[in-house]
Amino acid sequence: MSKQTKLSRIISTIILGIILVIGGVISCKHSHTIEGQGEGDTVAASEFEPQGAEKKLSINLNSITSVRFPKYKLSKATPIIPDSISMAADEETVSSGNYAATLILDTIPNKDFYDRIDAAAQHDTCWSINKFAYTYLHRDKQGGMYKIVFSKGGTQIFVTHVNRELAKIATTPGKEKGKKDKKTKR
């Protein structure tokens, strides 16, 4: 029996050794395959790039104000990044709806243009006109807010738009910094 026990120990040791060698080879082969697959990105780098040139901002002042403006072009547009929303600056784009843009008129507007605005201001309460400053403050159909500001005789038009969520934060009473609640007991 001792020879048979010795023989079975040798066979079991050989089988265990073979299993360990095969397991080691498979483990090394598997880890090498995973490391070898890391040659390229699993997600394209373009997915992480800011949405800039391909998401060009289009502003139609006529559709916003119902007043026909002279020809203009977009000079610059920058996203508005609210303090209350935790977001990295490179993740926010003008396509989110929160932006400040500067438009440049091709020519200085003539008197007819300002007469059209004065006529529109007679029945549209969104217009606010001082001596030389024109302001248009309007909510869009989605609940966002437009603010358009320009001066008489100038060629720059400043357009600001915030989407519904940010407009809600900006117009909620008592949410402004430094304002105290009127219902506090004394």
Side-chain angles (χ1 to χ4, degrees):
M1 199 81 173
S2 77
K3 273 187 166 187
Q4 199 174 14
T5 310
K6 220 178 196 185
L7 187 61
S8 68
R9 275 189 186 172
I10 292 172
I11 292 174
S12 63
T13 306
I14 291 173
I15 292 175
L16 181 63
I18 291 172
I19 291 174
L20 287 174
V21 168
I22 291 173
V25 168
I26 290 173
S27 173
C28 289
K29 179 80 172 164
H30 182 25
S31 68
H32 179 67
T33 304
I34 291 172
E35 291 171 6
Q37 290 176 349
E39 297 288 328
D41 291 337
T42 55
V43 178
S46 62
E47 294 294 321
F48 298 105
E49 291 176 359
Q51 306 285 325
E54 66 270 16
K55 298 277 186 177
K56 187 109 181 181
L57 181 64
S58 175
I59 300 172
N60 186 345
L61 294 176
N62 187 18
S63 68
I64 298 168
T65 64
S66 299
V67 174
R68 195 171 53 95
F69 278 73
K71 281 188 163 186
Y72 56 88
K73 62 184 173 193
L74 180 66
S75 172
K76 100 176 172 181
T78 55
I80 295 174
I81 303 169
D83 293 337
S84 61
I85 297 174
S86 170
M87 213 178 241
D90 61 347
E91 292 177 0
E92 187 66 27
T93 65
V94 294
S95 63
S96 71
N98 300 321
Y99 61 84
T102 304
L103 306 175
I104 304 292
L105 295 169
D106 288 347
T107 61
I108 296 175
N110 57 20
K111 185 178 181 323
D112 293 338
F113 170 71
Y114 296 109
D115 290 342
R116 282 194 308 261
I117 293 178
D118 290 336
Q122 297 293 324
H123 57 81
D124 188 353
T125 59
C126 294
W127 283 103
S128 172
I129 302 172
N130 294 342
K131 282 185 175 185
F132 296 104
Y134 292 82
T135 304
Y136 186 79
L137 190 59
H138 175 72
R139 275 199 186 272
D140 61 15
K141 292 178 184 175
Q142 291 80 27
M145 201 171 243
Y146 279 101
K147 183 176 183 181
I148 300 170
V149 179
F150 58 96
S151 61
K152 191 171 188 174
T155 58
Q156 289 185 335
I157 300 173
F158 302 101
V159 179
T160 305
H161 181 265
V162 290
N163 61 22
R164 179 181 55 204
E165 292 80 25
L166 201 56
K168 196 183 299 181
I169 292 170
T171 59
T172 304
K175 297 288 182 184
E176 298 91 15
K177 292 180 181 176
K179 296 279 184 171
K180 292 185 179 179
D181 192 9
K182 292 181 180 179
K183 294 182 180 180
T184 54
K185 292 184 179 181
R186 294 180 184 188

